[in-house]
Amino acid sequence: MSIDAAGNLRAVRRGVGNAPRLVIGSHLDTVIHAGAFDGVLGVVMGVALFEAVLEALPFSIELIGFSEEEGVRFGVPFLGSCAVTGDLDETTIVLISGAIREFGLDPAELPLTRLRGPIAGYLEFHIEQGPVLEQLGLPVGIVEAIAGQSRLEVRFEGHAGHAGTTPPHLRRDALAGAAEWIIAVERTMKDTPGLVATVGRITAEPGASNVIAGAVTASLDIRHASDQARRGAAQRLAAAAEAIARARGLRVCMETRSDRPATPMDPGFTALMEDAVRAAGYPPHRMPSGAGHDAMILAPHVPTAMLFVQSSGGLSHCPEESVREEDVAAALACGAEFLRILERRHG
Ligand SMILES: [Zn+2]
């Protein structure tokens, strides 16, 4: 085992042949007040597969425990996986160089962390972090695509006024307008299959209990596995905000803070995972991932597949995060079948 310059833990199980190697990985870091399974379960499952498959394989397996997937320390996620794909930009390298040096590693060696040689693909196991598999009563799910995500900021502007002396017909209440729009966001989500849309933060100004809100800023997070569906929803929500503002005598402006396209998993590798899940005796359920994962950094570079393990109660990023032993065993059985199918391909 070794640690590369980006702080990724890496190990290789040598195969008997020189067929392109398989990379298995997930992340080692997590958020503050997190659970014990996000990321690290995928790494431990890679170790378990190393040990479970006793026969020599015609290909090597490289296991990577990625560093800094969550972006907690520097506000930039996927540092470890971006290092191995060569996607770290100069600004980020400057930002993290001090921390790399403090850890006893050499930022000048970052280029050496790059994946080299022929690679068959990348496989990631990860907890679902949502309630879908539990509701369906399934141990595992096959990720088809990692949803694209737009983050926007919406600002409604009206007129602040005295809560006691301003009659209803003279009010231009920015908070009531924002509230109407938030309900429209929820309705759009319910009417659009596969869409999730969230207003998670609002700020009212001046923010006093006896003053009509003169301005409100709200966040909007929308995600969908189809970029077209996501952008269409963003347009409909912008139109709704304008209509609501017009009817209430408010001004509205909407600013896109980030727009990240969806990342499809590799169709061939995903079909192989589907065969593996079936061979292990489980129904192959395909689903999108609403959260980002290292797999989305690897996917543009090497064929990538991802398997979700049921999370109890759909809880994640909290100490209650949990998995059932039998679901982990099911996912491992699927992983072992995946290796066997890959082996037969080279046989
Ligand atoms: Zn994770």
Side-chain angles (χ1 to χ4, degrees):
M1 198 194 64
S2 61
I3 301 177
D4 69 20
N8 297 314
L9 277 183
R10 301 171 81 149
V12 176
R13 181 193 199 265
R14 298 249 168 253
V16 285
N18 48 7
R21 76 182 186 282
L22 175 70
V23 181
I24 300 178
S26 196
H27 60 101
L28 293 167
D29 67 314
T30 186
V31 296
I32 295 161
H33 301 303
F37 299 94
D38 172 17
V40 81
L41 177 73
V43 181
V44 172
M45 283 182 63
V47 174
L49 272 183
F50 265 38
E51 290 171 356
V53 181
L54 297 173
E55 69 271 31
L57 295 166
F59 50 87
S60 298
I61 304 175
E62 178 170 9
L63 179 64
I64 310 183
F66 289 112
S67 65
E68 287 293 322
E69 187 261 3
E70 303 280 2
V72 170
R73 182 162 180 189
F74 299 101
V76 184
F78 309 115
L79 294 178
S81 44
C82 281
V84 308
T85 56
D87 288 317
L88 275 186
D89 57 63
E90 262 323 299
T91 321
T92 309
I93 293 173
V94 169
L95 181 72
I96 63 178
S97 283
I100 290 176
R101 251 180 246 111
E102 265 167 45
F103 194 69
L105 299 168
D106 183 0
E109 287 180 2
L110 277 173
L112 301 176
T113 63
R114 293 280 294 270
L115 286 173
R116 253 179 296 267
I119 292 169
Y122 172 73
L123 174 61
E124 180 165 356
F125 300 95
H126 200 283
I127 56 167
E128 182 201 346
Q129 304 181 282
V132 174
L133 290 172
E134 189 175 76
Q135 285 227 316
L136 294 170
L138 295 175
V140 293
I142 301 158
V143 177
E144 271 201 301
I146 295 177
Q149 181 188 17
S150 308
R151 284 194 200 188
L152 299 102
E153 195 161 278
V154 186
R155 185 170 169 86
F156 289 89
E157 282 176 6
H159 223 289
H162 195 291
T165 60
T166 319
H169 69 284
L170 292 179
R171 289 181 180 222
R172 286 161 60 205
D173 186 336
L175 188 49
E180 191 180 339
W181 177 73
I182 292 167
I183 297 299
V185 171
E186 190 187 42
R187 205 167 38 236
T188 301
M189 170 173 73
K190 287 178 174 167
D191 292 346
T192 315
L195 181 78
V196 281
T198 308
V199 178
R201 176 178 44 79
I202 57 166
T203 319
E205 297 161 42
S209 61
N210 60 348
V211 182
I212 296 159
V216 166
T217 309
S219 64
L220 174 64
D221 177 312
I222 47 178
R223 307 183 194 207
H224 199 288
S226 147
D227 290 331
Q228 204 189 345
R230 175 172 52 88
R231 295 200 174 113
Q235 277 166 7
R236 288 202 300 285
L237 291 174
E242 269 155 33
I244 290 164
R246 210 177 307 119
R248 290 173 168 272
L250 307 172
R251 275 192 309 276
V252 67
C253 60
M254 220 159 160
E255 217 176 272
T256 303
R257 287 293 158 91
S258 76
D259 185 306
R260 222 177 46 205
T263 310
M265 298 294 100
D266 180 68
F269 234 47
T270 301
L272 206 149
M273 180 50 88
E274 196 171 282
D275 291 342
V277 170
R278 218 177 273 120
Y282 302 100
H285 175 70
R286 287 180 176 237
M287 61 192 296
S289 169
H293 298 289
D294 291 304
M296 69 189 238
I297 304 301
L298 276 288
H301 300 272
V302 293
T304 294
M306 211 179 163
L307 192 72
F308 272 165
V309 183
Q310 186 190 117
S311 331
S312 305
L315 296 171
S316 187
H317 283 184
C318 59
E320 292 77 27
E321 188 180 271
S322 176
V323 287
R324 297 191 310 176
E325 226 174 287
E326 60 260 44
D327 296 334
V328 176
L332 272 176
C334 298
E337 289 296 340
F338 189 89
L339 296 183
R340 273 180 210 117
I341 296 170
L342 214 55
E343 180 185 14
R344 280 202 294 277
R345 261 198 190 174
H346 296 293

